[in-house]
């Protein structure tokens, strides 16, 4: 039977969506098949993708169920059935529908009712009974928004007593949206008062802030300018424009939505000009009274701040203010940034190991791509490292940086001209919290360093000149070289100012790894630097090497690559069983290429007798148990290989790309091996998710090198 967690509450406004997302993340780290069930929905949410939280979970975790299969009844159907047959009939139907979904999954997340305009007399009791009937453990969430410490503690204790009295298995209690200054006091008192763990999640303005898109929907606004990323910006406040430009500009705040009559083109252009200059970056401009600027003004506005939303409503400023004032942020499929913020908050303030143990959910033997990605992020977050990104103004790098910071995975150093990077952030509507005060011991931080202007340039010039003196390098020449971002970033890693570097979204592989060869150099015992890819297939993770660095390694180099790759596999939770690939298996073939692989296999066994290694072996015999049984019966590796070593770069590079495209595998890498400290290369076609994964892997490598 699927292990189930029932997330519920006691009233509206508890921000429970962040907890639901956090629990889903926790479950999906442990098992492959996690299902979601919403017992009761509102009538207007019956159409596919109508429930925003369910749809956000479906999209993020690639759930195969249709929306209609993930809910039980509408509140109207509950009321009708209860009137005709009683509450037992309602519960019976919901339990039956739950089990239809649960039988196809290893774990279930059940989303309790929302306490919003429902017609269930005892909604808390209804949720408690339903949790008991489906055999789910309960995780109650209590909202602490604008409440004092005494009130929050009392509400959590009462909620625990209520669910406990109704026979529920309570995993823990969560107080959400608690003012940061009250967090420690609430935590201390609840620890003394409750027999179960309690977790306190502080209020996060980025979660409670509505997006521009929400304001468009709530006000039936017309979008005059702006793209999807602009509409996804958080609105952290409102500035109502009526003053002249000099006075008005002083009132602007970071992330504000400017609200001004549509005939004030001066304030529109002034706001966007200030945004473009990054002083400060705004969320957008809302024009009232149905007044639309002429096309000349709009064209100028579009050039000043590309992507920044300009929207128009028919109402006046007073009515508009009333309509937008009570809007709160929502986690939706269209706004993954809020999901990242919610997960970062949950993982920072909830002891996920303790909660997992209380759920008693055994980790699946299979490793899916999502489970591998979760594992890497989790390990990186557990001992946060500082990663330098030389391509500090590149859009994909900045978007990846925002995800990494919101999830508290790593601290970051962005290299480049500060004015250029800040302008780019403003244009993209990306918030890295550069100017916000936060506790570096808990929240991940980002800083910008301009290599050309940095105080470190002179000392780095001296260091580089000393390292390359045998090549005739002078301090004067070095002064220009170290201003190059990849060299500067590599020297930061060499000096211990950063723990690792990730580059390559714009730079070539050579530009990324040449400084590493010159400055960081190979690790003790490593003959060469090589690379591997973590190939995340549907049901397992394989390691491919070398697919990016060495064109035609000899037998000794091939053995070195195999040993490095086995160590990389083990470092990331993949049990190393090494297959030395060739076009023949065992003793069936001969020739120079096969002999090279045979000799490399002998050297691996000689250097690392503890490793399971087989070679020469063909790819099918390495990964397919049926073929292995025919070609190499009794082999401990054949049919079960996890580390596949290709004889040359041509074979490795083409194979990884073929598997990636034809099998839909997620290829994480290339990850460089054999350096004293981590420097990793990106493909110039890298997606944001690729950059996030590579940075997290670099952080884990840095933990090991420390």
């Amino acid at each position: 039977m699927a292990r189930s967690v029932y997330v519920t509450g006691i009233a509206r406004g508890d921000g429970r969506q962040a907890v639901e997302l956090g629990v889903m993340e926790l479950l999906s780290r442990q098992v492959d098949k996690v299902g979601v069930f919403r017992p009761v929905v509102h009538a207007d949410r019956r159409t596919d993708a109508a429930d925003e939280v369910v749809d956000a979970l479906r999209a993020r975790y690639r759930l195969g169920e249709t929306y209609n299969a993930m809910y039980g009844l509408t509140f109207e159907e509950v009321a009708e059935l209860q009137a005709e047959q009683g509450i037992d009939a309602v519960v019976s139907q919901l339990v039956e529908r739950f089990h239809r979904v649960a039988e196809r999954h290893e774990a279930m997340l059940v989303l309790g009712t929302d306490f919003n305009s429902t017609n269930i007399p005892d909604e808390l009791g209804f949720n408690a009974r339903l949790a008991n009937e489906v055999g789910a453990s309960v995780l109650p969430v209590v909202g602490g928004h604008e409440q004092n410490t005494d009130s929050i503690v009392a509400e959590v204790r009462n909620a625990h007593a209520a669910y406990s009295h109704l026979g529920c298995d309570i995993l823990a209690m969560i107080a959400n949206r608690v003012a940061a200054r009250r967090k420690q006091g609430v935590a201390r008192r609840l620890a003394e008062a409750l027999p179960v763990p309690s977790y306190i999640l502080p209020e996060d303005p980025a979660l409670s802030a509505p997006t521009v898109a929400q304001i468009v929907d709530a006000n039936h606004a017309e979008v005059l300018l702006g793209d999807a990323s602009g509409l996804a910006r958080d609105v952290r406040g409102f500035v109502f424009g009526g003053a002249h430009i000099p006075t008005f500009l002083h009132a602007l705040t970071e992330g504000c939505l400017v609200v001004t009559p549509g005939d004030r083109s001066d304030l529109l252009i002034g706001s966007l000009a200030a945004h473009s200059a990054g002083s400060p970056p705004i969320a957008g401009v809302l024009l009232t009274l149905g007044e639309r600027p002429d096309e000349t003004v709009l064209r100028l506005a579009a050039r000043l701040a590309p992507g920044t939303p300009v929207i128009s409503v028919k109402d006046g400023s007073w009515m508009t203010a009333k309509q937008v004032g009570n809007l709160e942020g929502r986690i939706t499929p269209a706004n993954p940034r809020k999901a990242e913020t919610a997960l970062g908050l949950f993982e920072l303030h909830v002891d996920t190991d303790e909660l997992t143990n209380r759920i008693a959910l055994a980790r699946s033997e299979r490793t899916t791509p999502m489970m591998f990605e979760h594992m890497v992020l989790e390990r990186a977050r557990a001992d946060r490292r500082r990663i330098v990104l030389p391509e500090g103004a590149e859009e994909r790098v900045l978007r990846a940086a925002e995800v990494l910071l919101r999830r508290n995975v790593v601290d970051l150093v962005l290299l480049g001209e500060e004015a250029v990077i800040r302008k780019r952030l403003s244009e993209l509507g990306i918030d890295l919290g550069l100017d916000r005060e936060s506790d570096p011991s808990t929240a991940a931080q980002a800083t910008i360093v301009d290599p050309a202007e940095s105080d470190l340039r002179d000392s780095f010039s001296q260091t580089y000149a000393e390292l390359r003196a045998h090549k005739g390098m002078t301090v004067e020449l070095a002064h220009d070289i170290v201003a190059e971002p990849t060299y500067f970033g590599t020297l930061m890693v060499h000096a211990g100012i950063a723990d690792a570097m990730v580059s390559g979204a714009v730079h070539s592989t050579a530009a990324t790894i040449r400084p590493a060869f010159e400055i960081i150099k190979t690790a003790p015992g490593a003959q060469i630097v090589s690379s591997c890819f973590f190939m995340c297939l549907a049901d397992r993770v394989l390691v491919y090497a070398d697919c990016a660095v060495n064109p035609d390694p000899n037998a000794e180099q091939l053995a070195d690559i195999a040993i490095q790759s086995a160590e990389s596999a083990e470092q990331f939770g993949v049990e190393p069983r090494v297959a030395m690939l060739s076009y023949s298996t065992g003793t069936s073939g001969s020739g120079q290429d096969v002999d090279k692989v045979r000799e490399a296999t002998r050297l691996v066994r000689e250097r690392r007798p503890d490793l399971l290694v087989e070679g020469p072996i063909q790819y099918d015999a390495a990964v397919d148990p049926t073929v292995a049984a025919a070609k190499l019966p009794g082999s401990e590796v054949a049919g079960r290989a996890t580390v596949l070593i290709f004889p040359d770069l041509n074979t490795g590079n083409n194979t990884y790309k073929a598997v990636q495209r034809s099998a839909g595998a997620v290829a994480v890498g290339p990850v460089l091996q054999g350096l004293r400290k981590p420097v990793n290369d990106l493909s110039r076609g890298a997606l944001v998710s690729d950059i996030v994964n590579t940075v997290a892997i670099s952080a884990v490598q840095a933990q090991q090198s420390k």
Side-chain angles (χ1 to χ4, degrees):
M1 181 177 176
R3 192 74 170 96
S4 303
V5 177
Y6 196 115
V7 181
T8 183
I10 61 172
R12 292 183 61 187
D14 53 25
R16 199 186 321 160
Q17 295 83 359
V19 176
E20 292 167 340
L21 191 66
V23 173
M24 185 66 180
E25 183 85 2
L26 187 151
L27 296 176
S28 63
R29 290 176 190 169
Q30 306 300 313
V31 297
D32 179 21
K33 297 180 179 179
V34 183
V36 175
F37 184 69
R38 171 85 80 184
V40 190
V41 298
H42 293 278
D44 60 353
R45 293 184 176 177
R46 295 189 58 178
T47 58
D48 195 42
D51 187 309
E52 289 174 328
V53 175
V54 172
D55 200 42
L57 294 173
R58 285 178 63 208
R60 185 177 185 88
Y61 298 98
R62 307 171 196 135
L63 305 181
E65 304 284 348
T66 65
Y67 173 73
N68 287 334
M70 297 168 72
Y71 84 91
L73 299 168
T74 67
F75 280 103
E76 287 72 12
E77 288 169 336
V78 167
E80 184 178 342
L81 188 60
Q82 182 176 357
E84 293 178 357
Q85 301 181 38
I87 192 65
D88 289 349
V90 173
V91 173
S92 177
Q93 278 206 28
L94 292 176
V95 170
E96 180 185 348
R97 296 190 183 190
F98 166 84
H99 284 300
R100 288 181 198 168
V101 180
E103 66 185 9
R104 298 188 290 274
H105 298 91
E106 300 168 85
M108 290 291 297
L109 170 62
V110 188
L111 313 178
T113 58
D114 59 9
F115 293 84
N116 181 18
S117 303
T118 66
N119 47 21
I120 299 176
D122 179 14
E123 199 161 347
L124 187 152
F126 175 82
N127 281 288
R129 179 178 176 184
L130 195 54
N132 291 337
E133 296 288 357
V134 301
S137 298
V138 175
L139 187 61
V141 181
V142 175
H145 180 57
E146 294 184 347
Q147 293 194 51
N148 61 36
T149 300
D150 289 342
S151 177
I152 296 169
V153 171
E155 292 231 358
V156 174
R157 293 183 64 180
N158 290 340
H160 177 270
Y163 281 105
S164 180
H165 177 73
L166 292 167
C168 294
D169 173 31
I170 300 175
L171 289 172
M173 299 296 298
I174 293 184
N176 192 26
R177 302 189 66 187
V178 175
R181 66 183 184 279
R182 304 189 191 280
K183 180 177 182 294
Q184 294 301 324
V186 171
R188 184 178 61 254
R189 289 178 57 180
L190 288 178
E192 297 168 352
L194 296 178
V196 298
S198 56
Y199 307 118
I200 318 302
L201 275 59
E203 183 83 73
D204 189 323
L207 270 181
S208 56
T211 63
V212 179
Q214 275 184 254
I215 289 172
V216 170
D217 292 340
N219 290 272
H220 307 290
E222 178 186 2
V223 179
L224 304 180
L225 297 173
D227 56 20
S229 62
L231 291 169
R233 294 178 188 175
D234 294 332
V235 177
R236 296 178 177 271
F238 300 92
V239 173
F240 292 86
H244 292 295
I245 284 286
T247 305
F248 169 74
L249 291 178
H250 286 295
L252 295 179
T253 57
E254 183 178 346
C256 72
L257 182 70
V258 173
V259 182
T260 185
D263 60 359
R264 290 297 303 271
S265 296
D266 57 331
L267 298 186
L268 168 64
I269 297 301
S271 301
L272 297 179
H275 172 85
S276 180
S279 58
I282 63 173
V285 180
L286 188 158
L287 304 175
T288 62
L289 301 174
E291 294 285 343
R292 179 190 178 105
D294 66 38
E295 291 304 317
T296 303
V297 172
L298 286 177
R299 284 196 297 270
L300 176 59
R303 288 196 297 270
L304 273 173
T308 299
V310 176
I311 61 179
S312 174
V313 297
K314 294 181 178 178
D315 291 325
S317 297
W318 170 248
M319 185 59 68
T320 301
K322 288 179 61 179
Q323 291 172 332
V324 302
N326 294 322
L327 281 178
E328 289 198 341
R330 301 193 305 265
I331 296 171
T332 69
N335 191 7
R337 296 165 69 189
K338 284 204 185 297
E340 302 295 352
T341 301
L343 287 172
L345 192 73
F346 185 87
E347 290 157 345
L348 194 60
H349 298 283
V350 172
D351 186 337
T352 54
D353 287 339
E354 179 183 50
L355 190 55
T356 301
N357 290 335
R358 290 185 64 80
I359 297 172
L361 195 66
R363 187 180 290 273
S364 172
E365 293 183 1
R366 299 172 65 209
T367 301
T368 66
M370 187 172 292
M371 291 169 69
F372 179 76
E373 291 172 12
H374 290 336
M375 179 272 292
V376 173
L377 291 175
E378 190 175 7
R379 287 184 59 185
R381 187 186 303 108
D383 182 15
R384 213 166 63 230
R385 303 283 98 189
R386 194 177 194 217
I387 313 299
V388 59
L389 304 176
E391 298 153 329
E394 161 62 29
E395 178 177 349
R396 289 166 296 159
V397 170
L398 292 173
R399 294 198 183 281
E402 185 176 39
V403 173
L404 290 160
L405 292 171
R406 287 181 180 234
R407 295 290 299 276
N408 291 292
V409 177
V410 292
D411 295 315
L412 294 172
V413 180
L414 302 171
L415 298 186
E417 292 183 47
E418 181 163 359
V420 172
I421 293 175
R422 285 183 177 272
K423 186 174 188 297
R424 194 73 178 119
L425 290 169
S426 295
E427 291 171 352
L428 298 170
I430 294 173
D431 180 13
L432 301 185
L434 295 171
D435 300 316
R436 284 201 304 275
E437 290 186 11
S438 56
D439 184 355
S441 66
T442 55
Q445 309 281 310
T447 56
I448 298 173
V449 175
D450 184 349
E453 302 295 332
S454 172
D455 293 339
L456 295 169
R457 186 175 178 181
D458 289 340
S459 63
F460 282 178
S461 300
Q462 186 69 40
T463 299
Y464 184 69
E466 292 171 0
L467 289 170
R468 303 295 290 171
H470 64 290
K471 294 291 186 179
M473 182 57 58
T474 65
V475 174
E476 291 74 19
L477 289 172
H479 195 259
D480 290 332
I481 292 172
V482 303
E484 291 293 323
T486 52
Y487 275 91
F488 192 91
T490 305
L491 283 158
M492 289 185 76
V493 176
H494 175 73
I497 299 169
D499 298 298
M501 183 180 85
V502 175
S503 184
V506 176
H507 293 96
S508 67
T509 295
T512 297
I513 66 177
R514 186 185 299 113
F517 290 161
E518 295 177 357
I519 298 165
I520 292 176
K521 304 180 181 178
T522 56
Q527 294 185 18
I528 58 172
V529 173
S530 64
S531 73
C532 73
F533 278 88
F534 289 92
M535 301 297 294
C536 302
L537 305 174
D539 60 348
R540 55 187 158 165
V541 176
L542 302 178
V543 177
Y544 284 11
D546 178 359
C547 305
V549 177
N550 297 286
D552 188 17
N554 60 34
E556 287 196 357
Q557 292 171 330
L558 203 58
D560 207 38
I561 292 169
I563 292 169
Q564 290 175 3
S565 302
E567 291 172 351
S568 292
E570 197 166 25
Q571 193 174 27
F572 290 94
V574 178
E575 182 182 352
R577 294 187 290 272
V578 183
M580 307 295 288
L581 298 178
S582 177
Y583 58 75
S584 70
T585 295
T587 59
S588 66
S590 61
Q592 183 177 351
D593 292 338
V594 180
D595 291 343
K596 178 179 80 168
V597 174
R598 186 174 289 117
E599 173 63 11
T601 305
R602 185 190 70 79
L603 290 171
V604 173
R605 288 175 175 150
E606 181 181 283
R607 295 178 190 173
R608 287 289 305 273
D610 57 309
L611 281 179
L612 295 177
V613 59
E614 190 70 71
I617 186 171
Q618 292 160 288
Y619 190 97
D620 58 349
V623 299
D624 189 315
T626 304
V627 176
K631 293 189 175 184
L632 278 177
S635 170
E636 292 184 277
V637 174
R640 303 172 62 238
T642 57
V643 180
L644 296 108
I645 307 302
F646 296 94
D648 54 62
L649 183 60
N650 181 53
T651 307
N653 191 270
N654 279 295
T655 302
Y656 107 76
K657 288 181 177 177
V659 172
Q660 181 185 29
R661 300 300 176 187
S662 61
V666 176
V668 181
V671 177
L672 296 186
Q673 311 170 129
L675 288 168
R676 289 178 182 269
K677 295 184 178 183
V679 171
N680 281 314
D681 181 36
L682 297 165
S683 164
R684 274 173 279 182
L687 304 175
V688 171
S689 58
D690 298 329
I691 300 172
V692 169
N693 288 331
T694 303
V695 170
I697 281 178
S698 302
V700 175
Q701 288 181 308
Q703 293 168 359
Q704 298 293 323
S705 68
K706 286 285 185 182

